Amino acid sequence: MPGVGIWRTKSVEQSIADTDEPGSRLRRELTAKDLTVFGVAVVIGAGIFTLTARTAGNVAGPSISLAFVLAAIACALAALCYAEFASTVPVAGSAYTFSYATFGEFVAWIIGWDLILEFALASAVVAKGWSLYLGNVLGFSGSTTAHLGPLDFDWGALIIVGAITVVLLSGTKMSSRVSAVITAIKIAVVLLVVTVGAFYIKKENYSPYIPSSEGADSTASGVHQSLFSFLTGAEGSSYGWYGLLAAASLVFFAFIGFDVVATTAEETKNPQKALPRGILGSLAIVTVLYVAVTLVLTGMVHYTDLRTGSPLVGDSSATLATAFEAHGIAWAQTAINFGGLAGLTTVVMVMMLGQTRVLFAMSRDGLMPKQLARTGNKGTPVRITLVVALVVGFLAAFFPMGVLEEMVNIGTLFAFVLVCIGVVVLRRTRPDLKRGFRVPLVPLVPILAVVACGWLMLNLSVETWIRFLAWMALGVVVYFVYSRRHSVLGRRLKAPADSPEEETIPAFVEN
């Protein structure tokens, strides 16, 4: 018997068949190279210039390079699961589409609703960060914010959202080309910084590689503390082995974004091979870049000089430029500003691209207004792109993001967990499916990925969990009020009994 009600599943065959639906068909134009560029473009942002130094100084010391390796391994576990799913179900929507094939419509809706929040907030937060770098490049004091009476209007953030929208409307291939050029610029800046900094490395700065443990200076309490601390009463520490693991948890978020590559599955040539190469290839490249930067950074200055409160840093947070300033290299900040500007440009682009593809898949399935799924002459979902641009532009221009950044992380990790579990489920329910890539050591690898993601979710604040659950509760209401009644799959299942004229419509549904 097929799944019924909110647990009805959409078969892989039906998902693939829907990609040829007239009027809502995406163009297959992307190669493994394009996907790798997208992956590097979205993962390498301004964090490589800021997060590395701050975490080295306050949490891990020279072992920050090892923390990045550990985080990359944890991220690779989830990436392997994404690679298998994306090569098996090469359809737009990423975790939403994967969940529809394994857990049913309700869970698919929940993860889709979660991804809407993740991509919208991520795009808006990064657009505001872009405006800060624009202000630095133009010599402004602070961001590009104007005061309109009681409102603060960030015109810099609105400019980048508008420019990215034009590129996205020009087609996915054009987006890939623009992303490739800008990504090349920011990688060139990173390599320049690494090459120049290598000449100032002193071996003694690496000792001790894992400093002795110290009590952390955290004052977070109540809803602002991590869920783990709230439940156990445990307090963190800096440096030592605990500091190393804490640093790995922090820098894990520097890798988030590779999953966006999976949202372009439907626009990829030979997706069975290209998607795994793009996902895993981009992860390998960014890992090498992160480790190279941290090795140079902690070799140029002693980690204690990067601590907040040190003579070199003062009351602010250390950045990569801090190490260069210690050696009298004044131009480093200018180079980093341009690198950050380039880095965040591509992050906004790929995040908005991912947002449009998830909404496209949900609209085509009827869970969002189906009229939005129409594609234009260039094979892009024009209506959805404009809707996403309006929402992201409004959020970025008028709303201070602040603590909402953590909601991006919890949404991503929730998607990771479902995808990893889904690999095991689909292996058991559909062993016959052709898989372009297979996760090794199933179910061990997916289980390890779930454990790693679960640990990271526990380290997010109670406040973030409350907001996340509130958003999910709102999603449940929307599903039962609108999405369940307009589901294309639901109508297909009812067609034989209720609409004889629609009996020829295929209803590929799994148990």
Side-chain angles (χ1 to χ4, degrees):
M1 288 289 293
V4 295
I6 65 175
W7 307 114
R8 54 199 175 208
T9 57
K10 184 179 181 181
S11 74
V12 174
E13 290 85 353
Q14 182 64 62
S15 294
I16 295 174
D18 284 349
T19 63
D20 287 327
E21 183 179 319
S24 59
R25 183 183 300 149
L26 299 173
R27 290 185 182 177
R28 291 193 180 275
E29 301 179 304
L30 302 178
T31 64
K33 179 181 177 182
D34 295 322
L35 299 181
T36 303
V37 169
F38 274 143
V40 175
V42 71
V43 174
I44 296 291
I48 196 168
F49 305 116
T50 55
L51 178 66
T52 49
R54 184 170 67 247
T55 307
N58 298 326
V59 183
S63 65
I64 180 66
S65 55
L66 179 57
F68 268 101
V69 172
L70 294 177
I73 292 172
C75 203
L77 296 174
L80 289 170
C81 297
Y82 265 89
E84 175 168 328
F85 246 131
S87 66
T88 307
V89 193
V91 178
S94 186
Y96 159 77
T97 301
F98 307 156
S99 296
Y100 215 155
T102 50
F103 302 111
E105 184 175 277
F106 180 68
V107 175
W109 163 262
I110 289 296
I111 195 62
W113 186 252
D114 164 62
L115 292 174
I116 290 173
L117 175 72
E118 173 197 340
F119 289 138
L121 287 182
S123 300
V125 167
V126 177
K128 293 190 78 68
W130 187 92
S131 72
L132 287 172
Y133 277 94
L134 179 64
N136 291 333
V137 170
L138 297 178
F140 297 163
S141 56
S143 67
T144 55
T145 301
H147 302 287
L148 301 177
L151 298 176
D152 289 334
F153 174 66
D154 192 338
W155 55 267
L158 197 60
I159 285 177
I160 186 59
V161 172
I164 293 302
T165 302
V166 172
V167 174
L168 293 178
L169 290 173
S170 299
T172 309
K173 193 64 178 180
M174 176 59 73
S175 301
S176 174
R177 289 168 181 164
V178 172
S179 182
V181 171
I182 301 176
T183 300
I185 293 173
K186 67 179 176 182
I187 289 180
V189 171
V190 172
L191 294 178
L192 175 64
V193 168
V194 169
T195 303
V196 174
F199 290 98
Y200 296 88
I201 290 177
K202 295 180 180 179
K203 290 190 297 183
E204 54 267 28
N205 287 333
Y206 292 126
S207 181
Y209 185 70
I210 302 180
S212 300
S213 178
E214 298 178 12
D217 296 327
S218 174
T219 57
S221 60
V223 295
H224 301 295
Q225 64 183 316
S226 72
L227 182 62
F228 181 76
S229 296
F230 178 80
L231 294 175
T232 65
E235 296 183 1
S237 65
S238 297
Y239 313 122
W241 287 102
Y242 187 92
L244 172 62
L245 294 176
S249 297
L250 288 172
V251 303
F252 177 90
F253 299 115
F255 290 96
I256 282 180
F258 73 85
D259 54 307
V260 183
V261 174
T263 66
T264 63
E266 197 170 318
E267 297 158 276
T268 303
K269 300 175 183 176
N270 193 10
Q272 284 75 19
K273 292 183 178 180
L275 282 161
R277 291 174 182 173
I279 293 173
L280 299 175
S282 59
L283 184 60
I285 291 172
V286 299
T287 300
V288 171
L289 291 175
Y290 276 134
V291 172
V293 167
T294 54
L295 286 173
V296 168
L297 171 70
T298 53
M300 290 179 69
V301 295
H302 198 263
Y303 75 92
T304 53
D305 292 329
L306 298 173
R307 295 180 69 166
T308 299
S310 70
L312 192 60
V313 177
D315 294 331
S316 59
S317 296
T319 67
L320 190 57
T322 304
F324 285 85
E325 290 169 1
H327 292 278
I329 307 174
W331 56 262
Q333 185 61 59
T334 301
I336 288 172
N337 283 337
F338 277 102
L341 202 60
L344 295 183
T345 299
T346 55
V347 175
V348 176
M349 179 185 296
V350 181
M351 283 294 181
M352 287 183 63
L353 175 67
Q355 172 77 293
T356 61
R357 285 355 183 221
V358 171
L359 272 175
F360 171 79
M362 297 175 73
S363 298
R364 187 168 57 192
D365 290 335
L367 303 187
M368 286 291 191
K370 195 167 174 59
Q371 296 84 350
L372 294 176
R374 294 294 176 185
T375 53
N377 295 331
K378 296 182 179 179
T380 57
V382 176
R383 296 176 183 178
I384 285 179
T385 302
L386 293 175
V387 169
V388 168
L390 288 173
V391 173
V392 172
F394 180 74
L395 290 173
F398 292 103
F399 280 78
M401 290 296 111
V403 296
L404 294 182
E405 292 181 55
E406 277 201 3
M407 292 190 70
V408 177
N409 297 332
I410 194 170
T412 303
L413 290 168
F414 180 56
F416 283 7
V417 168
L418 283 185
V419 169
C420 294
I421 296 174
V423 165
V424 179
V425 172
L426 202 61
R427 284 281 189 97
R428 291 181 178 275
T429 58
R430 293 299 305 274
D432 58 303
L433 288 175
K434 180 182 178 182
R435 291 166 169 82
F437 176 86
R438 297 179 69 90
V439 177
L441 302 176
V442 172
L444 178 60
V445 168
I447 290 174
L448 290 176
V450 170
V451 170
C453 293
W455 167 252
L456 293 170
M457 292 176 77
L458 284 173
N459 279 279
L460 295 174
S461 69
V462 175
E463 184 178 29
T464 297
W465 275 91
I466 293 173
R467 287 174 172 166
F468 176 70
L469 293 175
W471 175 257
M472 290 295 102
L474 176 61
V476 171
V477 172
V478 173
Y479 175 76
F480 283 103
V481 170
Y482 177 87
S483 302
R484 187 185 183 190
R485 293 189 296 111
H486 292 81
S487 168
V488 171
L489 180 62
R491 292 182 177 182
R492 281 175 176 154
L493 290 173
K494 293 179 181 179
D498 301 339
S499 304
E501 70 276 8
E502 294 181 8
E503 288 184 14
T504 56
I505 299 176
F508 297 100
V509 183
E510 292 179 23
N511 289 319

